[in-house]
Amino acid sequence: MVRTFDAKALFNNEQLEELFFAPARAYATLSVDFAEKLTNAQLDAAKAYTETGLAQVRAFTAVKDVEGLRSYMEGQQKVAKDLTDRMKGDAEKVVALQRDFVAESQKLAEANVKKASDTATKASTAQ
């Protein structure tokens, strides 16, 4: 005797949407939002570092004498401090983005487990 799998008997469209498709869409949306925020943070950082580097090259090419070189070298301490502060801030921003993504992912997972559990409970009591 050959048995065929009857998906309609197991799930209706509403259950498929609620248990599988809606959670998958929610997680995909969360992932895309995280990727967008992370990419924007990286682009902002890259732009800032590039602008700083180019400004330093321009400042160096403007050095014409010993006094100009001394002034340029003294300015490097401020540039180094500013870059260090920027890198620290950028790292903190990425960590915060990742922390938010993990927290939101956990909330989604918990909500989906609860929905599945509730659906299973309803199905077992209906029989």
Side-chain angles (χ1 to χ4, degrees):
M1 180 169 141
V2 176
R3 290 187 179 203
T4 58
F5 178 73
D6 184 7
K8 288 182 182 179
L10 192 58
F11 294 107
N12 63 34
N13 286 340
E14 186 178 307
Q15 287 172 321
L16 281 172
E17 171 63 25
E18 186 175 320
L19 292 175
F20 298 109
F21 299 125
R25 267 195 312 278
Y27 185 76
T29 299
L30 182 65
S31 296
V32 169
D33 289 346
F34 171 72
E36 180 181 23
K37 289 174 185 175
L38 184 60
T39 300
N40 286 334
Q42 291 171 334
L43 289 173
D44 289 345
K47 182 178 182 202
Y49 300 143
T50 300
E51 288 173 353
T52 299
L54 290 172
Q56 290 307 298
V57 170
R58 283 193 178 96
F60 184 72
T61 60
V63 171
K64 295 181 179 158
D65 55 17
V66 174
E67 182 59 33
L69 181 60
R70 185 185 61 73
S71 177
Y72 172 80
M73 295 306 288
E74 287 173 357
Q76 292 305 294
Q77 290 178 352
K78 182 181 181 327
V79 171
K81 182 187 179 318
D82 291 347
L83 277 176
T84 300
D85 292 344
R86 172 69 196 227
M87 287 180 191
K88 180 182 175 192
D90 290 340
E92 289 170 352
K93 186 185 296 185
V94 169
V95 168
L97 286 172
Q98 290 172 333
R99 190 178 309 122
D100 291 346
F101 177 74
V102 168
E104 290 301 316
S105 295
Q106 286 175 337
K107 284 180 191 175
L108 277 175
E110 289 168 3
N112 293 328
V113 166
K114 183 173 178 354
K115 277 184 192 176
S117 176
D118 291 348
T119 301
T121 301
K122 286 177 189 175
S124 67
T125 57
Q127 291 176 352

